[in-house]
Amino acid sequence: MLLSTAEDLGRFVEELKRETDRGLPLVATALIDELLKETLRSLFCDKTAAVRLLDEINAPLGSFSSRTDACFALGLIDAFEHREVTLLRKVRNEFAHAKHGITFDDSRIRGLCSSLKSDLPGDGGYPIHEPRFRFTNAAVVIVLRLYHRPDWVRLEQRQPKKWVADDATRWRSFKDEPPPSGISPIMVLGKSDPS
């Protein structure tokens, strides 16, 4: 890991530790959402279309949920990452949409956090059964896994592919130019002879 990466991740973890129960899932998932967005952007070959898909108002891939599913459908994240991110997003949504008074001790939050499967420290007195710790741990694990994913995906960036030769869809006159041999199917449009 690069020193700059380690320093940036260290600041991220310290920020998470200082956050309130409501702020923690909002801050943690904001970075994950950004990493997913940049991973998709790294794959797309046309940057103008990427902006329309990812950044504009009502963009088809403008939500955390749609980005997560798109990354999974395109093979940019694996099944474990998809599952963990989905659970982290659900916790985030619980906090984001609650009026007030919600904490990590809420039964719904506890249940979601207990479903997280990210590796936990085995020793050292960590509060591995506390939902806030499990959430923070899973968020850090996912950020570690996705941190350089946009860079890796950029190495496999899609390029426009020519699926059909330009000549294949050209109008031809049978009188002047019979269809090329060996090409099928051929669609023939003709005018009726008025005589």
Side-chain angles (χ1 to χ4, degrees):
M1 179 182 299
L2 297 171
L3 179 58
S4 60
T5 302
E7 289 171 345
D8 189 42
L9 290 172
R11 286 190 298 273
F12 172 67
V13 170
E14 287 306 312
E15 184 175 351
L16 294 183
K17 288 180 186 176
R18 292 189 303 269
E19 285 295 334
T20 63
D21 276 6
R22 187 182 295 268
L24 170 61
L26 300 177
V27 170
T29 58
L31 177 56
I32 295 167
D33 186 25
E34 184 66 21
L35 291 169
L36 293 174
K37 179 170 82 169
E38 292 311 310
T39 297
L40 287 166
R41 189 183 317 279
S42 295
L43 181 70
F44 295 153
C45 58
D46 183 88
K47 298 309 172 195
T48 303
V51 167
R52 284 194 306 271
L53 288 168
L54 294 166
D55 300 317
E56 289 185 354
I57 295 173
N58 297 321
L61 298 175
S63 72
F64 190 12
S65 175
S66 65
R67 290 175 184 152
T68 304
D69 288 343
C71 281
F72 185 51
L74 291 166
L76 303 176
I77 61 174
D78 61 31
F80 169 78
E81 292 162 345
H82 182 258
R83 185 178 184 284
E84 291 290 275
V85 171
T86 298
L87 286 168
L88 293 170
R89 180 183 52 79
K90 287 180 179 182
V91 171
R92 190 265 332 242
N93 288 349
E94 290 291 323
F95 280 100
H97 299 297
K99 280 188 176 181
H100 52 77
I102 192 168
T103 69
F104 275 96
D105 290 325
D106 179 86
S107 62
R108 172 103 171 110
I109 303 295
R110 277 188 164 290
L112 290 168
C113 291
S114 70
S115 298
L116 292 164
K117 301 294 184 204
S118 291
D119 191 41
L120 292 162
D123 204 357
Y126 291 99
I128 61 173
H129 299 293
E130 291 181 14
R132 182 180 168 107
F133 180 83
R134 292 181 67 91
F135 179 90
T136 303
N137 179 73
V140 170
V141 166
I142 292 300
V143 167
L144 282 168
R145 291 174 71 121
L146 298 180
Y147 196 83
H148 289 291
R149 191 72 51 91
D151 300 324
W152 300 341
V153 168
R154 195 169 290 111
L155 298 174
E156 299 180 22
Q157 183 178 37
R158 299 294 299 172
Q159 298 300 319
K161 182 175 180 177
K162 193 164 207 65
W163 295 94
V164 177
D166 293 338
D167 190 36
T169 55
R170 177 172 73 76
W171 283 90
R172 294 176 172 83
S173 166
F174 278 104
K175 290 179 188 175
D176 301 331
E177 182 182 355
S181 62
I183 293 181
S184 64
I186 295 174
M187 186 168 93
V188 177
L189 300 174
K191 318 188 270 192
S192 59
D193 190 356
S195 52

